[in-house]
Amino acid sequence: MASSYAGRVRVNRVVCVYADIPDSPMADPLNLLERGDKHYLGSGDGIIFAPRFPRWLRHPGFWDECDVHHYQIAPLFTVVFLDSQSSRPGRALPCRQLRRRWTPAELVSSYEFEKGLTGIEHRSLLPGGHFLSEWTLANSGDEAWNLLAVAWTVLDADGIDLSTVRTAPGSSRLRTALRDRHDGTLHVDVTLEAPGRGLAGAAFLSEGACRDPIWELTPFPEKWRHGTLVDVRVGGVSPTGLLYVAVASHLEVPPLGESPVTLRARLEPDLLGGPRSGRLPGLGVEGSASGTGARRAPRLSEEAPPGAMSRARWSAYFATLPELSCSDPFFERYWYYRWYGLRLCGHDGGVGNHVYPGCCEGTGYFHVPISYSAQCHARELRWLPDPDRARGVIGNFLAHQKEGGGLHGRIYVNHLEGTDFYFADWGAAVLAVDEVHPDRSFLGAVHQPLTRYAEWLDRMRDADRTGLYDVVDHFETGQEYMSRYLAVNPRADSETWGEGIRLKGIDATVYAYRLQRALAEIGGRLGDEGAAKRWAAAADRTATAILDLMWDANTGMFSDVDPRSLKRTGVKAAVCFYPYFTDLVRSQHIDGLRRHLLSPQEFWTPYPVPSTSLEDPYFSPDAEWKGKRLNCPWNGRVWPMTNSHVIEAIGRAAIDHDATLRQPAAYLIRRFVRMMFHDADLDRPNCYEHYNPETGRPSIYRGFDDYQHSWVNDLIVRYVAGFRPLGGDSFVVDPFPFELESLRLARLHFRGRLVDIEIARERVTVHVNGRLVSTSTVGETMLVEV
């Protein structure tokens, strides 16, 4: 990479010029991200509130489903206030939600009851599975309100061990079993609490009835007609039905005054207290990176203002991050939104199969580490000051490597059934982490498992020794329902995994090539010359195969290969541009990139880049495959995952071969980021699975927002701010032409140093550890050796 800058860079060393870096105020991310149409909550430990299609957000508490890793439980609890006469609960006060506002730390709702009584609820999650509903009730009337604050739920008794049901004043506890899509079972202890002046804790078994959050349909109005109880009644002729559980505390709201009250629940999954596999020797990653320790609950303060504990934790997290301010508000807003999403989808280490802290792909059944997206998480999380989570997303898969060398596609928290397989860019991900946080022991820890994986690829996916690698079903690329698979098997779009196809996939082969190059580099750095030579030779063989067999000089495009004939399929898909983000391409390949990628008749749509060319007979911008809308079609939708790859392709081509490609690369990045805002509304960023290439409309019908299946902030660092590591202690600052009035990227961690980059119109200033390195202008490359 360094050779790409030869003869056209200004070299600066930190020892040359010094000046204090100026202070500049940064936005408060919590305020910056505040909005009224969102509801996801989490604390980075693997337990979140992120219902796909919520029905009950206008009701207090958490009645929609909660994710306990990849398992779901619903409902958790809701809140009702009863007009209390002495010790007898009275009627439930009518409750009308007036307004709801969200930040990553909390969901704040205001309510109106009656006769001058109003309330503000702060819903939040804390590490350890704590779900808080913290209230301030205000009374504008002349008479005091005597109330019972009640948290209650109703759960299917079929999954509950009824012998575990326990109640006490202000507390109820039980154990239930959650099940996933692979018949996995997770036992979870559920606790409801009404701290403070707790009076009641009760559980009553009932035959099935309506499960809506309607107090009058529960057994409690009748069972408590003479006063609140501490009681458990779970008998009857059968143990089936519904279990109603409630806790209550007393509350008095004085005239013209306010009173606080908290209702809460805790979900504690039984994961046997630790990991189910060995750790990688030398990886150097602690078990937990949530800031609290795996499964260690924070001390809940009854004195803290509502929402304060969650706000403090989220603010502390944002304070550790590199700071971005930018005259393009979409870049600035998305920067912080992306960091929110990475923490929302984070998980602790030392918990079940999650040996190391890491990141899940998304919410719901995607709330699990998935190999296809792990490469993305490593690229983004490497910019954190602590590399543990970036290394952990890689380490979790290598720690569970299969006996033959293959890797699981998913790492479920408590089983490894139905994990599938996905190709991923493991080698480049490892080197990306190491170039920011170098550690010889980390490279040593991953070298042998990655070697075994590369050998598995050679043995299982290139048995014919062509240098190209087999895709054997259309799911394992992570890109199903495309013409590229029909080119070798008309039944390739079978909805069952493992339908027999063989396709020499360009994405699979490029990933294998990058792995081989990485193993050669790591071997050399570890002093293993035999490994370095072995994998360099393997990479050379793969490189020759890609250039000889996958490149079509007549059409100017790479493509997949049919292994039966070793002929190119000629199907135009976005993956055909993947070789351009490697060192494989030469100047003679660049015209093909320009001709196809920048063509409005192929890939340069209003919102680029569709996963399949517009010329494809099965192209659909509307998520349809053969006339039916699907969940995850790749025959024309814009997938952020693909965009991240293609931006790398055009970006590297612009740096190494053709500087005139910088302008379209900058345009693509800008359109990519703007696409991920609902209706171009700056206050409503999103990240869905896929988007319409004509309108930019996301796949809201899927219900999966904050889907961490791409890298965005890494692109902002390397192309918008222009900071690109070169290996060792050198880096360049070389922003692409975004025509920004201003940008400041501060506290960027790089190899034990803090780098600050500032752009003011065309002037670029770089500081390292608070001292000025040099200045230049946009378009002039600075090479810095620290």
Side-chain angles (χ1 to χ4, degrees):
M1 191 71 168
S3 62
S4 304
Y5 296 95
R8 57 185 179 90
V9 301
R10 176 186 296 175
V11 179
N12 299 277
R13 294 175 175 82
V14 174
V15 296
C16 52
V17 182
Y18 298 94
D20 290 334
I21 185 170
D23 292 328
S24 177
M26 296 289 179
D28 176 2
L30 293 181
N31 291 336
L32 196 69
L33 297 176
E34 182 180 352
R35 57 199 280 190
D37 66 336
K38 198 168 178 65
H39 57 275
Y40 290 10
L41 297 171
S43 62
D45 69 346
I47 300 177
I48 62 174
F49 177 69
R52 293 172 64 186
F53 303 106
R55 298 176 56 202
W56 307 109
L57 293 179
R58 297 189 65 82
H59 290 251
F62 301 88
W63 201 260
D64 293 294
E65 72 268 20
C66 307
D67 295 341
V68 185
H69 302 285
H70 69 283
Y71 294 86
Q72 283 75 51
I73 183 172
L76 188 53
F77 73 93
T78 189
V79 174
V80 65
F81 292 95
L82 307 180
D83 188 0
S84 176
Q85 304 297 326
S86 70
S87 61
R88 296 182 183 178
R91 61 189 177 85
L93 298 185
C95 177
R96 183 168 70 93
Q97 189 179 97
L98 303 177
R99 186 172 180 264
R100 188 170 64 243
R101 299 297 294 172
W102 172 91
T103 74
E106 57 188 338
L107 187 62
V108 182
S109 304
S110 59
Y111 300 89
E112 181 180 64
F113 297 99
E114 62 179 35
K115 298 179 181 178
L117 185 66
T118 59
I120 297 177
E121 179 194 27
H122 295 248
R123 285 176 266 195
S124 64
L125 265 69
L126 295 178
H130 291 277
F131 292 72
L132 275 61
S133 173
E134 299 175 284
W135 290 77
T136 300
L137 296 186
N139 181 7
S140 63
D142 296 330
E143 296 183 4
W145 280 95
N146 286 298
L147 303 172
L148 278 183
V150 180
W152 69 274
T153 190
V154 54
L155 296 170
D156 191 331
D158 288 346
I160 298 173
D161 179 353
L162 294 177
S163 69
T164 66
V165 179
R166 299 286 185 273
T167 62
S171 176
S172 294
R173 184 180 177 90
L174 58 90
R175 169 165 284 209
T176 189
L178 309 181
R179 292 180 174 82
D180 67 10
R181 301 195 302 169
H182 300 282
D183 294 325
T185 299
L186 179 67
H187 295 280
V188 178
D189 290 326
V190 182
T191 304
L192 289 186
E193 293 182 309
R197 301 171 66 182
L199 295 175
F204 301 117
L205 189 62
S206 167
E207 284 197 326
C210 177
R211 298 181 62 176
D212 291 355
I214 302 173
W215 174 254
E216 288 76 13
L217 301 183
T218 74
F220 301 110
E222 295 186 71
K223 301 295 290 185
W224 287 1
R225 65 187 182 276
H226 300 303
T228 57
L229 297 172
V230 175
D231 194 10
V232 175
R233 300 208 176 183
V234 293
V237 296
S238 76
T240 61
L242 299 176
L243 184 68
Y244 289 86
V245 184
V247 295
S249 64
H250 180 257
L251 174 68
E252 182 177 333
V253 188
L256 305 177
E258 296 181 346
S259 293
V261 66
T262 295
L263 292 308
R264 65 194 186 208
R266 187 179 185 191
L267 299 177
E268 299 176 84
D270 181 1
L271 292 165
L272 304 181
R276 294 170 178 260
S277 85
R279 298 165 65 85
L280 293 178
L283 192 69
V285 177
E286 297 298 323
S288 170
S290 70
T292 61
R295 296 288 145 242
R296 188 173 66 200
R299 187 177 67 85
L300 302 184
S301 170
E302 307 300 337
E303 306 300 325
M309 289 182 286
S310 181
R311 289 194 300 272
R313 287 177 174 272
W314 274 96
S315 294
Y317 164 72
F318 281 119
T320 68
L321 303 175
E323 297 177 340
L324 181 73
S325 60
C326 185
S327 58
D328 185 327
F330 290 93
F331 285 140
E332 180 176 335
R333 189 69 56 90
Y334 208 84
W335 173 265
Y336 291 106
Y337 184 78
R338 187 60 161 201
W339 285 118
Y340 140 75
L342 288 166
R343 185 170 191 251
L344 174 82
C345 293
H347 66 78
D348 272 343
V351 179
N353 288 329
H354 297 168
V355 184
Y356 303 108
C359 191
C360 302
E361 187 165 283
T363 63
Y365 55 77
F366 290 119
H367 202 56
V368 59
I370 299 179
S371 58
Y372 190 42
S373 55
Q375 58 187 326
C376 311
H377 306 153
R379 288 182 173 276
E380 306 249 72
L381 295 169
R382 64 178 173 153
W383 301 113
L384 291 175
D386 185 341
D388 276 7
R389 200 172 286 275
R391 293 173 182 161
V393 298
I394 298 168
N396 278 321
F397 288 90
L398 300 185
H400 293 283
Q401 188 165 30
K402 297 180 180 180
E403 184 175 348
L407 296 174
H408 292 280
R410 300 177 184 86
I411 305 296
Y412 295 115
V413 71
N414 67 335
H415 69 80
L416 292 173
E417 300 297 326
T419 60
D420 305 316
F421 167 75
Y422 295 103
F423 288 98
D425 196 3
W426 291 112
V430 166
L431 293 182
V433 173
D434 190 68
E435 69 182 2
V436 176
H437 296 284
D439 188 331
R440 180 183 173 88
S441 64
F442 169 65
L443 296 180
V446 303
H447 187 247
Q448 188 58 37
L450 288 178
T451 296
R452 293 182 60 221
Y453 173 64
E455 292 169 343
W456 178 85
L457 285 175
D458 285 342
R459 188 171 63 253
M460 303 302 296
R461 297 309 177 91
D462 187 26
D464 46 9
R465 303 295 292 166
T466 63
L468 306 178
Y469 291 83
D470 293 339
V471 175
V472 300
D473 69 57
H474 74 138
F475 289 102
E476 65 182 18
T477 63
Q479 301 187 15
E480 56 267 34
Y481 302 106
M482 301 177 74
S483 292
R484 58 188 295 226
Y485 312 112
L486 300 184
V488 295
N489 185 343
R491 285 183 45 81
D493 58 347
S494 168
E495 294 185 0
T496 59
W497 287 75
E499 172 71 17
I501 69 169
R502 276 187 69 215
L503 174 72
K504 296 293 186 180
I506 193 162
D507 43 359
T509 302
V510 166
Y511 288 164
Y513 170 73
R514 302 246 284 183
L515 175 61
Q516 293 158 355
R517 284 281 181 237
L519 286 172
E521 179 176 339
I522 294 169
R525 290 169 62 181
L526 295 176
D528 188 342
E529 292 303 320
K533 290 179 180 179
R534 173 194 179 188
W535 291 111
D540 289 344
R541 180 177 65 89
T542 304
T544 299
I546 292 173
L547 294 174
D548 288 353
L549 299 175
M550 290 184 156
W551 171 251
D552 188 331
N554 293 324
T555 63
M557 201 164 193
F558 293 92
S559 82
D560 300 314
V561 167
D562 186 333
R564 296 167 296 187
S565 63
L566 289 184
K567 300 294 185 181
R568 290 176 292 275
T569 65
V571 176
K572 296 179 181 179
V575 294
C576 297
F577 301 116
Y578 282 18
Y580 288 93
F581 59 69
T582 74
D583 59 358
L584 290 170
V585 299
R586 299 293 180 263
S587 58
Q588 63 266 30
H589 301 110
I590 300 304
D591 179 65
L593 173 70
R594 180 184 295 277
R595 180 151 39 101
H596 294 288
L597 177 59
L598 305 187
S599 168
Q601 286 73 48
E602 295 181 60
F603 293 98
W604 210 244
T605 53
Y607 292 90
V609 174
S611 48
T612 296
S613 168
L614 275 68
E615 297 177 338
D616 190 278
Y618 291 101
F619 171 82
S620 170
D622 304 319
E624 293 178 345
W625 175 257
K626 296 183 177 180
K628 177 182 178 182
R629 188 176 77 173
L630 298 184
N631 290 338
C632 300
W634 289 72
N635 60 318
R637 298 288 278 185
V638 179
W639 284 75
M641 177 62 133
T642 304
N643 268 15
S644 296
H645 284 76
V646 174
I647 288 168
E648 298 291 356
I650 190 173
R652 180 152 189 176
I655 293 167
D656 289 358
H657 299 287
D658 185 354
T660 65
L661 290 172
R662 287 171 174 256
Q663 196 70 49
Y667 173 84
L668 176 54
I669 293 172
R670 181 172 273 131
R671 292 298 286 174
F672 178 29
V673 171
R674 276 165 169 70
M675 179 183 71
M676 295 185 290
F677 286 81
H678 290 287
D679 302 319
D681 184 345
L682 183 62
D683 292 330
R684 300 173 65 210
N686 64 64
C687 192
Y688 285 86
E689 294 168 282
H690 48 86
Y691 296 75
N692 188 303
E694 297 173 357
T695 66
R697 179 179 172 83
S699 53
I700 56 175
Y701 69 93
R702 289 278 286 146
F704 290 113
D705 196 358
D706 297 331
Y707 188 62
Q708 308 302 305
H709 189 245
S710 57
W711 59 94
V712 181
N713 281 357
D714 190 67
L715 301 176
I716 293 174
V717 170
R718 294 187 304 109
Y719 296 107
V720 183
F723 179 89
R724 293 189 288 279
L726 291 182
D729 289 338
S730 299
F731 63 86
V732 297
V733 177
D734 177 27
F736 274 36
F738 289 91
E739 301 178 354
L740 300 173
E741 288 292 318
S742 64
L743 175 143
R744 185 178 179 222
L745 179 62
R747 297 206 324 264
L748 186 71
H749 291 262
F750 176 68
R751 302 175 77 88
R753 303 170 179 89
L754 291 178
V755 178
D756 300 84
I757 299 169
E758 192 160 6
I759 300 174
R761 296 184 183 275
E762 294 297 307
R763 184 172 181 267
V764 183
T765 305
V766 180
H767 292 76
V768 177
N769 288 343
R771 298 295 181 178
L772 179 67
V773 174
S774 186
T775 62
S776 69
T777 59
V778 174
E780 179 183 13
T781 302
M782 280 192 295
L783 191 154
V784 179
E785 298 174 351
V786 296

